[in-house]
Amino acid sequence: MRAARMIVAVDGPAAAGKGTLARRLAAHLGLPYLDTGLLYRATGRLVLDAGADPADPAAAEAAARRLRAADLSRTDLRGPAQDDAASKVAAVPGVRAALLEFQRRFGEERGAVLDGRDIGTVVFPQATVKLFVTASAEARARRRHAERGGQGPLAEVAAEMAARDARDAGRDVAPLAPAPDAVLLDTTALDAEAAFRAALGIIAAKVKLSA
Ligand code: DC
């Protein structure tokens, strides 16, 4: 498969299996991989560290503008408080504008697989292939609950996730939505291997068509 400078956009809601899939596709295609959610998570983390409110546009934008690549490797970017902060800063237009350039530069150099919410709609509208990876709300809540070691009630995880999905899909700027030319991949009934195979099939068909 011709992978040189190819952009593969992997968008979709939380815990749909985007990260696992995108990482594997990148390794298989020999492309760099960027988990763009980390940019929003690290921005939210900086706001929390400063004792500010992630929903405060000025505090959130200032944090996004002082973000450094090293912040993305922090080990404290996951968990309920970080999920919430990331989703709040992600709704701030100034934050999205500040993070856009980094994502584009990352992909333009050597091509890339990027996962996120707006890769196919905003960051790379000309992406070679756009996958919109989804799964039922129930399946996604079960996966996130398992990722957290089964701690706490499943219903709580499901409610947190529903609130975050609603915020990600309902915001004014770059809301979570499939690009018109994205191919839908529903992983509700697929394990990681089956999702990978299905995605490779979609990519092969697309690349052949545009070759
Ligand atoms: O993929 P994730 O759960 O790590 O993303 C964290 C938050 O960042 C999520 O609530 C949505 C937001 N996000 C976004 O708005 N745009 C992206 N490209 C990636 C993530």
Side-chain angles (χ1 to χ4, degrees):
M1 206 176 286
R2 206 167 38 93
R5 299 194 49 150
M6 174 159 127
I7 297 283
V8 180
V10 182
D11 290 307
K18 300 186 303 291
T20 306
L21 176 63
R23 193 171 294 112
R24 210 165 152 193
L25 287 175
H28 183 83
L29 298 169
L31 291 169
Y33 164 61
L34 182 63
D35 170 359
T36 64
L38 285 180
L39 297 168
Y40 297 92
R41 290 178 176 279
T43 300
R45 182 75 256 175
L46 291 181
V47 177
L48 293 175
D49 289 350
D53 176 3
D56 171 0
E61 185 176 340
R65 295 208 176 276
R66 64 172 193 276
L67 198 68
R68 295 287 165 265
D71 294 320
L72 305 185
S73 329
R74 286 178 62 155
T75 54
D76 55 358
L77 300 181
R78 301 204 181 265
Q82 294 89 330
D83 288 354
D84 183 68
S87 172
K88 284 180 176 156
V89 299
V92 175
V95 168
R96 305 202 72 86
L99 300 180
L100 189 58
E101 209 39 48
F102 179 91
Q103 297 172 77
R104 288 194 172 147
R105 249 186 290 118
F106 185 93
E108 275 160 6
E109 237 168 77
R110 292 192 288 135
V113 179
L114 301 97
D115 82 61
R117 303 291 189 289
D118 63 338
I119 307 304
T121 50
V122 175
V123 182
F124 284 107
Q126 308 302 334
T128 323
V129 186
K130 300 177 186 179
L131 298 171
F132 193 83
V133 182
T134 187
S136 71
E138 197 196 326
R140 295 188 293 110
R142 267 191 277 107
R143 285 177 197 165
R144 182 51 51 87
H145 188 244
E147 269 168 31
R148 292 191 185 151
Q151 278 171 2
L154 174 63
E156 212 167 276
V157 176
E160 266 172 25
M161 191 169 273
R164 194 150 76 92
D165 285 348
R167 197 184 295 130
D168 292 342
R171 66 186 175 220
D172 292 336
V173 271
L176 167 68
D181 52 345
V183 180
L184 198 77
L185 179 56
D186 188 328
T187 67
T188 307
L190 303 182
D191 63 13
E193 179 64 27
F196 174 63
R197 294 283 149 208
L200 276 187
I202 294 167
I203 295 171
K206 200 81 181 181
V207 170
K208 213 174 293 154
L209 278 179
S210 60

